[in-house]
C-alpha cells in the first residue's frame, strides 16, 4: 500500500513519479530484500524530486512473507 504522495511526487519539470515509476523502482528488487527495495524506492523518489522535501506525504506499507 502507498499514499498518493508517492506516485504524485513531481520533478522540476512538473512531471509525476507515476505508477510506472513506482513499478520500475520496485522491479527486480527481491534480491535486495524488502528493506533494500524500500530504500531504493526512497532514493528514486528523492532523485526524481531533486530534494529531500516533498509537497505531500510519502507513505508505504510493505509486508514480507517468510
Amino acid at each position: 500500500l502507498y499514499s498518493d504522495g508517492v506516485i504524485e511526487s513531481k520533478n522540476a519539470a512538473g512531471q509525476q513519479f507515476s505508477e510506472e515509476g513506482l513499478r520500475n523502482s520496485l522491479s527486480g528488487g527481491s534480491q535486495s530484500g524488502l528493506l533494500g527495495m524500500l530504500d531504493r524506492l526512497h532514493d528514486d523518489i528523492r532523485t526524481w524530486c531533486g530534494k529531500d522535501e516533498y509537497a505531500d506525504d510519502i507513505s508505504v506499507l510493505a509486508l514480507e512473507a517468510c
Side-chain angles (χ1 to χ4, degrees), residues 22-38:
L22 175 62
R23 280 191 302 274
N24 290 340
S25 182
L26 297 177
S27 67
S30 62
Q31 295 173 349
S32 61
L34 181 62
L35 291 178
M37 289 173 64
L38 293 174

Side-chain angles (χ1 to χ4, degrees), residues 6-65:
V6 173
I7 60 173
E8 293 177 358
S9 294
K10 294 182 181 178
N11 64 12
Q15 298 169 311
Q16 293 185 347
F17 189 68
S18 75
E19 289 182 5
E20 180 181 4
L22 175 62
R23 280 191 302 274
N24 290 340
S25 182
L26 297 177
S27 67
S30 62
Q31 295 173 349
S32 61
L34 181 62
L35 291 178
M37 289 173 64
L38 293 174
D39 284 343
R40 186 175 62 247
L41 175 59
H42 185 239
D43 290 343
D44 289 349
I45 294 170
R46 185 182 314 125
T47 299
W48 181 262
C49 293
K51 56 187 174 183
D52 287 329
E53 296 179 18
Y54 310 107
D56 197 356
D57 67 290
I58 304 292
S59 302
V60 177
L61 172 64
L63 302 173
E64 184 172 36

